[in-house]
Amino acid sequence: MQKKSGGRIFLIGFMGSGKSSLGKKLAGALQYDFVDTDKMIEAAAGKSVADIFAQEGEAYFRERERETLAQLAERENIVVATGGGMACSYDNISSMNRLGVTIYLKAEPKLLAHRLAKYKDKRPLLRATAQENLDKFIAEILQEREPFYRRADLTLPARNLTAQTVLTVINAAFSPEA
Ligand code: S3P
């Protein structure tokens, strides 16, 4: 694969796959800025993602995600933790693939359900689902989303993933001779 210019890394994947925590470590290791698209949207709107979903609806939130991505095209040397649905609406995955290196953090529904148990109420899409049905519900949404996630440049297992492993994989995949 040819090295991509611009120094942009997009972490994509389901809620709870660890995009933000890995993203911060990766940004630190690369001395890039860390960006969280949910946080950007919340700062611009002056309210939480949950409130945006409740008051303006999901379609409005997806529009804000698309705008956020357009803004990120103006920035360089960034590691971006995307909201879990961002890669799956509009043609955002193509835009991200054009703008930088995209990495899908892949995780099993069971692991995601376990990790999300405590934070479910902050996620409008999961709020209404009882904990015991969560992994089945996640599996259904994942199935719809996988075709988008799979279009990432790289897919890595989300469990026990370190920033160093990610950097090694990126360097191997995007070195000039690869
Ligand atoms: C969403 C994921 C959330 C947030 C919103 C919708 C989704 O982000 O953007 O609640 O559709 O998967 P995280 O993946 O950071 O939880």
Side-chain angles (χ1 to χ4, degrees):
M1 256 191 261
Q2 198 80 67
K3 198 163 194 109
K4 296 194 183 184
S5 60
R8 299 182 198 91
I9 297 173
F10 294 93
L11 301 178
I12 71 172
F14 208 79
M15 297 169 257
S17 58
K19 294 162 291 183
S20 295
S21 74
L22 179 73
K24 283 177 198 159
K25 291 178 197 149
L26 208 48
L30 288 163
Q31 295 188 301
Y32 281 10
D33 290 334
F34 172 70
V35 177
D36 180 318
T37 58
D38 285 343
K39 294 262 165 11
M40 277 179 77
I41 293 169
E42 287 180 333
K47 54 176 126 173
S48 68
V49 169
D51 284 346
I52 298 173
F53 266 70
Q55 292 163 21
E56 276 88 21
E58 181 173 351
Y60 177 90
F61 177 75
R62 300 298 174 203
E63 265 296 330
R64 303 287 79 73
E65 283 188 317
R66 183 162 66 161
E67 279 173 12
T68 303
L69 185 53
Q71 288 165 18
L72 293 177
E74 311 293 320
R75 295 181 59 178
E76 297 197 340
N77 300 335
I78 49 173
V79 177
V80 184
T82 62
M86 187 163 145
C88 315
S89 60
Y90 298 106
D91 202 16
N92 292 342
I93 185 64
S94 301
S95 306
M96 289 191 273
N97 280 337
R98 207 171 45 245
L99 288 170
V101 176
T102 50
I103 304 174
Y104 170 31
L105 305 187
K106 190 174 166 69
E108 293 303 314
K110 257 199 168 46
L111 174 68
L112 295 169
H114 178 72
R115 284 187 182 172
L116 288 165
K118 268 194 278 176
Y119 308 103
K120 187 161 86 61
D121 288 346
K122 289 207 177 101
R123 264 73 172 208
L125 296 179
L126 303 179
R127 236 178 203 173
T129 305
Q131 183 62 33
E132 62 268 28
N133 300 329
L134 201 55
D135 61 332
K136 191 167 164 278
F137 183 68
I138 289 172
E140 280 167 21
I141 312 182
L142 250 187
Q143 203 177 13
E144 290 165 18
R145 290 185 171 184
E146 274 274 337
F148 295 93
Y149 291 155
R150 269 203 296 266
R151 288 178 57 198
D153 295 315
L154 302 167
T155 295
L156 295 173
R159 196 193 281 266
N160 299 330
L161 193 58
T162 65
Q164 197 46 55
T165 304
V166 178
L167 289 178
T168 305
V169 174
I170 293 176
N171 286 334
F174 291 94
S175 66
E177 63 280 0

